[in-house]
């Protein structure tokens, strides 16, 4: 049974994979460490598809942050949004830190995430349901592509 | 314009303006709402400020509003240089 009662937020973001490639080459700029969690860095690896994977996750983080803008959580909370994805399967979101607190306080429930990529761009759409029922679920979520 | 604001302005122009972009950027030019700095660029801009001025800008303070003009960015740096 779906206990949610409505949609609280919707966000989308488009990330240019070539910009990520440039940041990956300029390691001294610290892009990866500033934005991604250890688990995300491990998942993206350093192979030929690393830039696309990082770009998808960056777009997903931004889409989730935009969808959560109703919480007034405006800031550089990139590491508070962790994107998990097994291979090319569905992606999921785990909120942590301040963003998890804000989401819980504002009755945010399940977060749906959809990712897509072409040769040069990664696209993400995030939708946040209002939490319904008694059981709070601010942190996890199912997604699809 | 003081030295800090000039350094921030120079960084923004060199990093985020295309070579053929002839817009003039000043201390109060909207950077984010004006489409010059986007969320992706904010990562490197925040890193630049932290490294250059030896500060740590908390995530909650690195909002689009705080990064929207050179004047606001300089004020943010000043705040964390003092703390």
């Amino acid at each position: 049974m779906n206990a949610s009662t409505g949609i609280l937020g919707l966000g989308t973001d488009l990330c240019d994979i070539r910009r990520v490639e440039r940041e990956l080459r300029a390691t001294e700029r610290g892009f990866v460490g500033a934005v991604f969690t250890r688990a995300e860095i491990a998942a993206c690896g350093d192979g030929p598809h690393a830039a696309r994977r990082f770009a998808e996750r960056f777009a997903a983080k931004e889409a989730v942050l935009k969808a959560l803008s109703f919480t007034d959580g405006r800031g550089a909370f990139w590491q508070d949004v962790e994107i998990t994805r097994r291979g090319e399967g569905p992606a999921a979101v785990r909120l942590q830190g301040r963003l998890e607190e804000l989401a819980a306080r504002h009755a945010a429930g399940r977060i749906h995430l959809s990712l897509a990529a072409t040769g040069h761009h990664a696209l993400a759409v995030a939708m946040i349901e209002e939490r319904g029922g008694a059981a709070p679920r601010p942190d996890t979520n199912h997604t699809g592509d | 314009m003081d030295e800090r604001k000039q350094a921030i302005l120079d960084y923004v122009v060199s990093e985020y303006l295309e070579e053929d972009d002839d817009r003039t950027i000043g201390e109060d030019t909207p950077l984010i709402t004006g489409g010059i700095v986007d969320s992706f660029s904010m990562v490197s801009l925040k890193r630049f400020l932290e490294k250059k001025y030896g500060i740590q800008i908390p995530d909650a303070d690195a909002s689009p509003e705080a990064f929207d003009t050179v004047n606001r960015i300089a004020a943010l740096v000043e705040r964390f240089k003092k703390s």
Side-chain angles (χ1 to χ4, degrees):
Chain A
M1 176 185 288
N2 185 349
S4 294
T5 55
I7 295 171
L8 284 182
L10 182 67
T12 185
D13 194 70
L14 185 67
C15 181
D16 188 330
I17 297 171
R18 291 163 294 189
R19 292 177 77 183
V20 175
E21 287 171 344
R22 285 196 289 274
E23 293 294 336
L24 294 181
R25 284 196 295 270
T27 53
E28 77 283 357
R29 289 162 67 101
F31 173 78
V32 168
V35 173
F36 300 98
T37 66
R38 280 181 170 183
E40 288 171 327
I41 294 168
C44 291
D46 56 4
H49 302 297
R52 177 177 58 79
R53 291 180 183 136
F54 279 119
E56 286 172 344
R57 283 162 177 78
F58 185 84
K61 285 169 186 277
E62 281 294 317
V64 171
L65 288 170
K66 289 173 184 173
L68 282 168
S69 60
F70 65 89
T71 67
D72 295 326
R74 312 265 295 159
F77 293 114
W78 299 297
Q79 295 222 7
D80 283 0
V81 183
E82 185 171 78
I83 309 300
T84 60
R85 190 179 195 192
R86 192 178 293 275
E88 299 301 310
V93 184
R94 187 170 74 87
L95 299 182
Q96 48 199 10
R98 173 147 172 80
L99 219 52
E100 182 183 18
E101 291 170 23
L102 283 171
R105 194 185 311 157
H106 288 81
R110 186 171 293 210
I111 303 176
H112 299 267
L113 187 63
S114 181
L115 307 180
T118 66
H120 294 312
H121 294 92
L123 174 75
V125 176
M127 186 186 74
I128 301 177
E129 290 181 6
E130 183 178 8
R131 189 176 62 230
R137 294 200 322 215
D139 58 345
T140 306
N141 330 294
H142 151 36
T143 64
D145 304 80
Chain B
M1 188 182 302
D2 69 31
E3 195 175 317
R4 182 176 299 161
K5 289 178 185 175
Q6 189 64 56
I8 295 167
L9 183 59
D10 290 345
Y11 182 84
V12 168
V13 170
S14 67
E15 290 291 321
Y16 308 128
L17 270 194
E18 299 290 338
E19 281 181 13
D20 58 353
D21 193 328
D22 57 3
R23 278 180 288 186
T24 301
I25 297 181
E27 295 168 66
D28 286 312
T29 302
L31 301 176
I32 291 176
T33 52
I36 295 164
V37 173
D38 61 12
S39 55
F40 192 91
S41 307
M42 272 186 64
V43 180
S44 54
L45 182 52
K46 180 172 182 283
R47 287 276 301 168
F48 163 76
L49 298 169
E50 290 176 337
K51 286 174 79 171
K52 182 167 182 65
Y53 299 108
I55 57 175
Q56 184 68 46
I57 302 172
D59 292 344
D61 291 284
S63 65
E65 291 79 10
F67 275 64
D68 200 33
T69 67
V70 168
N71 273 338
R72 289 188 190 180
I73 295 168
L76 189 69
V77 170
E78 180 67 18
R79 195 171 134 209
F80 290 103
K81 284 288 277 185
K82 285 178 176 172
S83 62

